[in-house]
């Protein structure tokens, strides 16, 4: 990066009243967790296209994730899905992760793939199925201990396809019972994140359909339970950043699953379709972080777990992950360029257009010089995508052949 490039940017931001030192520090602190399943083959209900070079084991997934961290400097942890990433000895996986300068992140139980879960897991009308599902959740708490993870990330495919198919309130009680039982097993430092989704695979009702249900459940469970917002899990047009602001204010926003959507739960690369939404989410988070008058929100905003949850169906997995991380960084960087005094003054004087402009003006800035400067400081390539293709890693992993792990 030429100094000229950065000085012009610096001068411009000075004129706009932005403290670049604070922005650089915040960017350096941003961590984004990548999902093990984002490195495996995935597809649609029509077809899974098998790619060459896809990891054949959880160990190889961590090797690929290690490359993403090496090039971006901000992906030190990897979420795992059980049993997809189940290994005989988790201490070996933990050690392997450490050898690649990363660690095991959130533990995601899977209670949606066994045949017995067709009509639900912890909300299934059959007691033995509920018991099996609950036992798996508890097994995952044990895996948290073995791996040193402090996040149990829960998502349920439970729901029904037809009116009258099941007793909705009864299922709600079963869900609460199973979660109470699991919650009791948590250690003091553990967090339980509850993810909602309004449809799919169930198409009539989903047992945890929206943030309100997830939030209410978290409240009943206790302080260690929080809500996880997957950006793809809302009906079109939903104001996701409002949900984010509300949950932070209540101290219960635990984390994100970032991805982007055009129509349904598309799981496309985050920021690919709606970068402004991602920016506006960060605007709400940063506003809460700055709010000295409301420590509860500030504290919550400071410990949000940022995670990616995507399915790379047609694109190469590793560069897709790098692109995702860069998109998150870019929108975060832009949100850091908001002039908060200007915004507060416009809001105070109830100047609608000036207030809207104060936010949009940051989005319209080119944050590239800032990102490059931060990457230089972090000693990672200024252009991690380009650097990846220069490493020859993609060619190297072709020797793994076709038919690696799915999801
Ligand atoms: C779901 C949800 C979960 C993820 C599964 C694989 O749609 O987003 O977070 O674990 O997909
Ligand atoms: Mn998700
Ligand atoms: Mn999803």
């Amino acid at each position: 990066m030429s100094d000229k490039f950065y000085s012009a940017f610096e001068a411009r931001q000075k004129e706009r009243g932005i403290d670049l030192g604070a922005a650089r520090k915040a960017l350096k602190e941003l961590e984004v967790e990548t999902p093990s399943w984002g490195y495996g083959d995935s597809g649609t209900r029509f077809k899974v296209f098998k790619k060459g070079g896809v990891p054949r084991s959880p160990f190889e997934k961590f090797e690929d994730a290690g490359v993403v961290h090496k090039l971006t400097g901000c992906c030190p942890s990897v979420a795992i899905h059980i049993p997809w990433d189940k290994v005989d000895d988790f201490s070996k996986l933990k050690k392997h992760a450490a050898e690649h300068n990363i660690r095991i992140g959130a533990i995601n139980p899977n209670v949606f793939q066994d045949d017995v879960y067709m009509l639900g897991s912890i909300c299934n009308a059959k007691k033995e199925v509920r018991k099996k599902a609950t036992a798996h959740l508890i097994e995952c708490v044990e895996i948290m201990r073995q791996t040193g993870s402090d996040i149990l990330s829960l998502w349920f495919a439970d729901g029904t396809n037809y009116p009258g198919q099941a007793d909705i309130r009864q299922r709600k009680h079963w869900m609460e019972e199973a979660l109470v039982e699991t919650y009791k097993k948590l250690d003091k430092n553990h967090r339980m994140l509850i993810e909602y989704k309004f449809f799919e695979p169930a198409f009539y009702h989903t047992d945890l359909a929206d943030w309100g249900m997830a939030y209410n459940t978290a409240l009943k469970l206790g302080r260690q339970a929080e809500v996880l917002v997957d950006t793809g899990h809302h009906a079109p047009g939903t104001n996701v950043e409002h949900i984010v602001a509300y949950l932070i204010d209540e101290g219960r926003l635990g984390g994100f699953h970032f991805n982007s959507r055009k129509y349904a739960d598309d799981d496309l690369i985050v920021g690919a379709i709606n970068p402004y939404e991602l920016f506006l989410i960060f605007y709400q988070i940063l506003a809460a972080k700055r709010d000295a008058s409301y420590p509860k929100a500030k504290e919550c905003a400071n410990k949000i777990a940022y995670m990616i949850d995507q399915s790379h169906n047609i694109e190469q997995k590793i560069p897709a992950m790098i692109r995702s991380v860069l998109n998150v960084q870019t929108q975060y960087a832009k949100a850091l360029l908001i002039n908060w005094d200007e915004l507060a003054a416009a809001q105070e004087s109830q100047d609608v257009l000036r207030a809207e402009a104060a936010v949009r003006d940051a989005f319209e800035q080119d944050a590239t010089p800032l990102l490059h400067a931060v990457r230089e400081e972090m000693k990672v390539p200024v252009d991690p995508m380009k650097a990846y293709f220069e490493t020859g890693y993609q060619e190297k992993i072709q020797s793994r052949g076709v038919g690696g792990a799915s999801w």
Side-chain angles (χ1 to χ4, degrees):
M1 187 198 54
S2 77
D3 281 347
K4 227 172 84 194
F5 188 39
Y6 190 76
S7 343
F9 170 78
E10 200 175 29
R12 170 83 190 102
Q13 297 310 320
K14 205 171 162 198
E15 213 176 85
R16 293 182 65 250
I18 302 301
D19 173 1
L20 283 182
R24 285 163 78 134
K25 182 171 178 284
L27 268 171
K28 273 189 280 181
E29 285 167 4
L30 178 70
E31 289 186 358
V32 183
E33 180 162 305
T34 69
S36 71
W37 56 98
Y39 297 97
D41 270 327
S42 69
T44 64
R45 66 174 105 170
F46 302 105
K47 169 81 179 163
V48 175
F49 294 99
K50 298 273 183 191
K51 301 264 179 343
V54 165
R56 293 161 295 185
S57 68
F59 292 89
E60 288 183 346
K61 290 181 194 172
F62 273 82
E63 287 161 25
D64 292 1
V67 172
V68 173
H69 181 51
K70 190 170 176 218
L71 295 172
T72 61
C74 69
C75 305
S77 64
V78 179
I80 61 172
H81 226 295
I82 308 295
W84 297 338
D85 298 312
K86 197 164 177 175
V87 291
D88 295 337
D89 183 352
F90 276 105
S91 69
K92 283 193 185 141
L93 190 60
K94 197 177 161 187
K95 192 164 158 267
H96 189 69
E99 281 162 10
H100 292 266
N101 296 316
I102 51 179
R103 60 173 194 272
I104 297 175
I107 309 296
N108 292 248
N110 181 323
V111 283
F112 50 86
Q113 272 201 325
D114 284 13
D115 286 335
V116 291
Y117 296 142
M118 184 176 81
L119 298 177
S121 64
I122 56 173
C123 302
N124 195 300
K126 285 205 170 123
K127 191 167 183 197
E128 64 266 27
V129 178
R130 296 200 302 277
K131 267 181 85 176
K132 176 183 154 86
T134 311
H136 178 60
L137 303 185
I138 292 170
E139 178 197 356
C140 286
V141 177
E142 183 44 42
I143 294 176
M144 290 171 78
R145 289 187 192 109
Q146 291 168 20
T147 55
S149 164
D150 58 1
I151 294 186
L152 181 70
S153 196
L154 303 178
W155 173 73
F156 300 96
D158 290 56
T160 60
N161 271 7
Y162 295 98
Q165 182 188 320
D167 181 335
I168 291 179
R169 286 194 306 111
Q170 174 67 76
R171 289 174 67 100
K172 173 174 176 285
H173 298 159
W174 285 329
M175 159 99 45
E176 288 170 4
E177 265 169 37
L179 293 183
V180 165
E181 213 180 313
T182 310
Y183 187 89
K184 281 188 192 149
K185 305 282 182 200
L186 298 178
D187 293 343
K188 284 279 158 291
N189 65 317
H190 288 170
R191 299 162 75 182
M192 177 193 272
L193 304 192
I194 305 171
E195 178 177 358
Y196 57 91
K197 178 172 174 175
F198 75 117
F199 88 113
E200 196 191 43
F203 295 107
Y204 172 62
H205 109 283
T206 297
D207 290 288
L208 278 176
D210 64 23
W211 70 270
M213 295 181 201
Y215 172 62
N216 188 40
T217 309
L219 279 188
K220 287 185 178 184
L221 290 170
R223 273 306 320 160
Q224 287 163 259
E226 299 166 319
V227 180
L228 183 145
V229 174
D230 181 313
T231 47
H233 289 190
H234 310 88
T238 302
N239 185 338
V240 180
E241 59 271 23
H242 179 192
I243 297 171
V244 168
Y246 191 100
L247 288 172
I248 292 178
D249 203 63
E250 294 296 329
R252 291 292 177 131
L253 178 67
F256 281 97
H257 271 176
F258 284 137
N259 50 60
S260 75
R261 67 191 295 271
K262 180 76 176 164
Y263 301 105
D265 183 23
D266 306 340
D267 282 334
L268 299 176
I269 288 175
V270 53
I273 306 293
N274 43 8
Y276 197 46
E277 181 185 70
L278 185 57
F279 166 89
L280 293 175
I281 286 173
F282 282 127
Y283 156 37
Q284 291 304 330
I285 294 170
L286 291 175
K289 278 181 186 249
R290 293 176 50 85
D291 192 353
S293 66
Y294 207 59
K296 183 172 150 191
K298 192 180 165 137
E299 193 193 313
C300 176
N302 281 333
K303 60 181 190 51
I304 295 172
Y306 299 107
M307 300 179 269
I308 285 172
D309 178 13
Q310 294 173 186
S311 296
H312 306 128
N313 301 344
I314 58 168
E315 59 275 59
Q316 277 178 339
K317 322 293 168 190
I318 301 171
M321 205 62 90
I322 295 173
R323 168 52 58 211
S324 309
V325 175
L326 302 186
N327 286 358
V328 171
Q329 274 185 327
T330 300
Q331 296 313 322
Y332 189 57
K334 286 180 181 236
L336 288 163
L337 300 179
I338 293 174
N339 182 328
W340 299 95
D341 294 336
E342 163 66 9
L343 178 60
Q347 289 180 350
E348 177 71 29
S349 61
Q350 298 195 314
D351 188 333
V352 178
L353 290 178
R354 198 176 140 207
E356 189 271 344
V359 173
R360 186 171 33 77
D361 188 55
F363 180 69
E364 288 172 354
Q365 300 300 307
D366 176 7
T368 318
L370 174 60
L371 289 160
H372 283 194
V374 166
R375 289 188 191 121
E376 269 178 1
E377 262 181 75
M378 291 170 75
K379 305 207 176 349
V380 296
V382 290
D383 183 345
M385 279 298 266
K386 188 165 161 269
Y388 174 69
F389 290 111
E390 285 165 5
T391 57
Y393 190 76
Q394 193 68 39
E395 290 74 33
K396 197 182 117 200
I397 57 177
Q398 291 308 314
S399 64
R400 292 172 181 168
V402 177
S406 287
W407 281 283

